[in-house]
Amino acid sequence: NQILQITSGKNDSQGVAWLDNERIVFGSQTNDSWDLWTAGAGGGDLRQLTNDAAFDTDPAASPDGKFVVFSSNRAGIYNLWR
């Protein structure tokens, strides 16, 4: 097994989950915003899933990888979202 760096820079991260055997989902801070991102298991193909002022973190994926549940304060208080 080889250890690979998935993200780089000054981004902080909050939670990570496997979507399938080839993709992960994670919470990350960029600028003043916490959003959800996906990336390939090898670190490539970075994609932003959420883009708002809310604190979106701690993702968990459904067994089939089709849904992500995460914690967010987008409604003013923390709730779980899918």
Side-chain angles (χ1 to χ4, degrees), residues 33-54:
S33 180
W34 284 86
D35 290 298
L36 297 182
W37 296 76
T38 63
D45 196 24
L46 189 64
R47 297 180 191 181
Q48 190 170 1
L49 292 182
T50 62
N51 186 9
D52 53 48

Side-chain angles (χ1 to χ4, degrees), residues 52-65:
D52 53 48
F55 189 81
D56 300 334
T57 62
D58 302 313
S62 63
D64 61 7

Side-chain angles (χ1 to χ4, degrees), residues 19 22-23 27 39-40 52 56 59:
L19 288 173
E22 300 192 16
R23 298 195 60 73
D52 53 48
D56 300 334

Side-chain angles (χ1 to χ4, degrees), residues 2-79:
Q2 182 181 6
I3 297 173
L4 298 173
Q5 182 176 336
I6 303 296
T7 63
S8 62
K10 295 182 180 180
N11 297 351
D12 200 358
S13 63
Q14 192 74 26
V16 63
W18 284 99
L19 288 173
D20 55 36
N21 288 335
E22 300 192 16
R23 298 195 60 73
I24 59 170
V25 59
F26 60 97
S28 181
Q29 181 182 18
T30 54
N31 301 318
D32 293 329
S33 180
W34 284 86
D35 290 298
L36 297 182
W37 296 76
T38 63
D45 196 24
L46 189 64
R47 297 180 191 181
Q48 190 170 1
L49 292 182
T50 62
N51 186 9
D52 53 48
F55 189 81
D56 300 334
T57 62
D58 302 313
S62 63
D64 61 7
K66 292 182 180 180
F67 297 101
V68 173
V69 175
F70 60 98
S71 175
S72 178
N73 65 348
R74 61 183 55 214
I77 61 172
Y78 282 94
N79 291 285

